[in-house]
Amino acid sequence: MMLFPMAVDIYHGSNEWSAFAVAAVATAVTGGALARGTRGALKAGLTIRQAFTLTPLSWFSVAAASAVPFYLAEYDDVSGHVSNAVFEAVSGITTTGATVLSGLDSAPPGLLLWRALLQWMGGVGIIATAIAILPALGIGGMQLFRTESSDRSEKAMPRVRQIALTLGSVYLGLTVLAALVYWFAGMHAFEAIAHALTSVATGGYSTSDASFGNWEKNGIQWFATAFMLSGSIPFVLYVRFIAGESKALWDRQVKTLLGVVVVLTLVVGVWLIISGQYGFEAAFRHAAFNIVSVITTTGYATADYSQWGNAAVGLFFALLFIGGCTGSTSGGIKIFRFEVVAIMLKTHFMRLLYPNGVFPRTYGSRMLDDDVVGSVVAFLTVIFLSYAVVTVILMGFGLDFLTSASGAVTALSNVGPGLGDIIGPAGNFSTLPDGAKWVLSLSMLLGRLELFTVLILFVPRFWRG
């Protein structure tokens, strides 16, 4: 993949091509040696312990390799700066979108394309992880989707390879469609391709410091809102829809996500009109775009929504936690976990009212087993503890509470921009201390891999027998 930005830099006469050439050779040699040295070693398949070990190591290795072009580049913000190079690479591959780069409008095209490609690869990587790995490991209630996803997919398309090909085709198709729409709507071809790669991946890297605030005409922001939503829908549903299930896309998670987006857009849009900040169309356009951007953990911005009032700041801080649907490119806690909590609360209240009643916990047509409920509760406990711990650590570096708290949430939820003057939608992470950047880089990887996949490696019993 490094050859693409190398070719772009050569075409545009940029000297940055050599950074990608060196990094490409280094990763090709290393990857080739690893592949040759382990050929045939796993013919029997992966054990649970091997899967737990391989998943985080793979993501950490890819992130490290992805940082090499940034480090070797001649761009001031990352050149020779390990912390910044790693931070930018991790943010890209985890589709977080937090950045330490400034002056993007005049940045080398290869560097901009590399950032976009990282998010695109990270998006398809997390889809594969969420479908093939996390359900099998029972992370955070994901086992709920293990039988459902495989059963329904196998009825539609018997072979796993065919499912993977269809998922990849859908992902690529949505990206091509987004690029064409952006291009016809007024973006230059390069800008259209870069934003298409990061829209469907719900990544948020842009080619402009003003993000999508740089493009307001011809409905581009409305189109971007739609493509961000398309990336936050479970991609298995696209497979089922293509296989002939006409109502597949009208899934419970999708309905909940769209319902939340519509209600919040109406509320914020009306507030922006009443407060006199925008006219009718602009108010709902900015409200819809930025709400969708945060709730899908994309991280684009059309305006500095932290200037919309204290209530808006509180709302967007809450949205940092949510995330899109399971099996999508979005990060965050995920819609289904909030739905499981709602089911648990409803059941609890019903038992308080009718102590002798029987109230089965069901999610759609499936029973919510105790292990699923327990996994969800455990995940929520650990994620909120992680938010608190990271916040305190960041405050230890001298950052204020809003910057620390929103930075912790935006990193662990893989959203991108935080809140406040420093890391808000109008700022970036370049001025943070190097130690804070390393903490946030680790947090982004932890959040992307649903925490337990990484944390279990630190349990001594894991390495025994």
Side-chain angles (χ1 to χ4, degrees), residues 437-457:
K437 292 172 186 173
W438 283 104
V439 170
L440 291 171
S441 296
L442 178 59
S443 299
M444 287 186 276
L445 284 165
L446 279 171
R448 183 79 286 187
L449 296 175
E450 306 273 324
L451 295 172
F452 287 96
T453 313
V454 179
L455 295 179
I456 196 171
L457 300 181

Side-chain angles (χ1 to χ4, degrees), residues 265-299:
T265 298
L266 290 174
V267 171
V268 175
V270 170
W271 160 250
L272 292 176
I273 294 172
I274 293 174
S275 61
Q277 299 187 55
Y278 296 102
F280 183 84
E281 188 275 338
F284 286 105
R285 170 165 45 85
H286 286 297
F289 184 98
N290 290 286
I291 286 170
V292 168
S293 178
V294 175
I295 203 171
T296 62
T297 71
T298 306

Side-chain angles (χ1 to χ4, degrees), residues 228-433:
M228 287 188 285
L229 282 171
S230 73
S232 66
I233 293 175
F235 274 71
V236 169
L237 300 184
Y238 290 119
V239 175
R240 290 165 48 196
F241 180 78
I242 292 172
E245 294 186 42
S246 58
K247 297 182 179 180
L249 294 177
W250 200 235
D251 180 76
R252 175 171 182 157
Q253 286 190 83
V254 177
K255 289 188 286 186
T256 301
L257 174 64
L258 294 179
V260 171
V261 167
V262 170
V263 171
L264 292 180
T265 298
L266 290 174
V267 171
V268 175
V270 170
W271 160 250
L272 292 176
I273 294 172
I274 293 174
S275 61
Q277 299 187 55
Y278 296 102
F280 183 84
E281 188 275 338
F284 286 105
R285 170 165 45 85
H286 286 297
F289 184 98
N290 290 286
I291 286 170
V292 168
S293 178
V294 175
I295 203 171
T296 62
T297 71
T298 306
Y300 289 139
T302 58
D304 187 358
Y305 43 76
S306 63
Q307 303 300 315
W308 291 355
N310 291 333
V313 172
L315 173 63
F316 279 99
F317 182 73
L319 293 180
L320 292 175
F321 293 89
I322 298 178
C325 301
T326 301
S328 70
T329 60
S330 296
I333 293 176
K334 302 292 191 307
I335 292 291
F336 98 90
R337 293 193 178 102
F338 288 102
E339 292 179 320
V340 169
V341 170
I343 292 169
M344 292 166 57
L345 288 174
K346 179 182 176 181
T347 303
H348 181 68
F349 284 129
M350 294 301 290
R351 285 175 177 169
L352 290 177
L353 290 172
Y354 307 101
N356 297 322
V358 177
F359 306 101
R361 298 173 304 202
T362 59
Y363 185 88
S365 59
R366 296 178 56 82
M367 291 291 296
L368 280 177
D369 297 330
D370 288 340
D371 66 324
V372 172
V373 174
S375 295
V376 170
V377 171
F379 177 86
L380 292 175
T381 302
V382 172
I383 190 70
F384 281 105
L385 282 174
S386 299
Y387 290 140
V389 170
V390 175
T391 297
V392 172
I393 293 175
L394 293 177
M395 291 184 72
F397 287 102
L399 302 176
D400 63 272
F401 175 75
L402 182 60
T403 300
S404 300
S406 63
V409 179
T410 198
L412 285 163
S413 296
N414 305 120
V415 178
L419 296 171
D421 296 331
I422 302 175
I423 62 171
N428 66 28
F429 290 71
S430 60
T431 59
L432 298 186

Side-chain angles (χ1 to χ4, degrees), residues 59 62-64 66-67 70 83-101 114-120 122-123 198 201-205 297-299 410-411 414-417 429 437 440-445 448:
W59 281 81
V62 171
S66 302
F70 290 117
S83 300
N84 283 3
V86 171
F87 183 94
E88 197 73 13
V90 170
S91 181
I93 203 68
T94 59
T95 73
T96 302
T99 184
V100 295
L101 300 187
W114 181 234
R115 296 165 81 242
L117 283 171
L118 280 179
Q119 294 201 324
W120 193 76
T198 58
T202 61
Y205 273 159
T297 71
T298 306
T410 198
N414 305 120
V415 178
F429 290 71
K437 292 172 186 173
L440 291 171
S441 296
L442 178 59
S443 299
M444 287 186 276
L445 284 165
R448 183 79 286 187

Side-chain angles (χ1 to χ4, degrees), residues 92-252:
I93 203 68
T94 59
T95 73
T96 302
T99 184
V100 295
L101 300 187
S102 56
L104 294 175
D105 299 83
S106 57
L111 203 64
L112 295 176
L113 180 60
W114 181 234
R115 296 165 81 242
L117 283 171
L118 280 179
Q119 294 201 324
W120 193 76
M121 289 187 289
V124 73
I126 198 57
I127 292 172
T129 302
I131 291 175
I133 303 294
L134 298 182
L137 299 180
I139 300 294
M142 291 288 286
Q143 61 267 43
L144 177 67
F145 300 94
R146 176 170 50 198
T147 305
E148 178 178 292
S149 296
S150 60
D151 284 351
R152 292 185 179 180
S153 297
E154 286 168 8
K155 291 175 183 176
M157 298 181 175
R159 292 177 295 181
V160 174
R161 183 173 296 180
Q162 190 173 359
I163 297 170
L165 180 62
T166 306
L167 285 171
S169 300
V170 169
Y171 191 68
L172 179 62
L174 284 173
T175 306
V176 172
L177 177 61
L180 292 173
V181 169
Y182 290 154
W183 184 39
F184 286 127
M187 283 186 176
H188 296 303
F190 179 80
E191 296 169 340
I193 292 172
H195 285 94
L197 291 169
T198 58
S199 294
V200 177
T202 61
Y205 273 159
S206 177
T207 60
S208 172
D209 287 331
S211 191
F212 261 85
N214 212 30
W215 295 276
E216 292 189 353
K217 298 180 179 179
N218 303 324
I220 287 183
Q221 293 176 358
W222 286 112
F223 291 130
T225 302
F227 285 117
M228 287 188 285
L229 282 171
S230 73
S232 66
I233 293 175
F235 274 71
V236 169
L237 300 184
Y238 290 119
V239 175
R240 290 165 48 196
F241 180 78
I242 292 172
E245 294 186 42
S246 58
K247 297 182 179 180
L249 294 177
W250 200 235
D251 180 76
R252 175 171 182 157

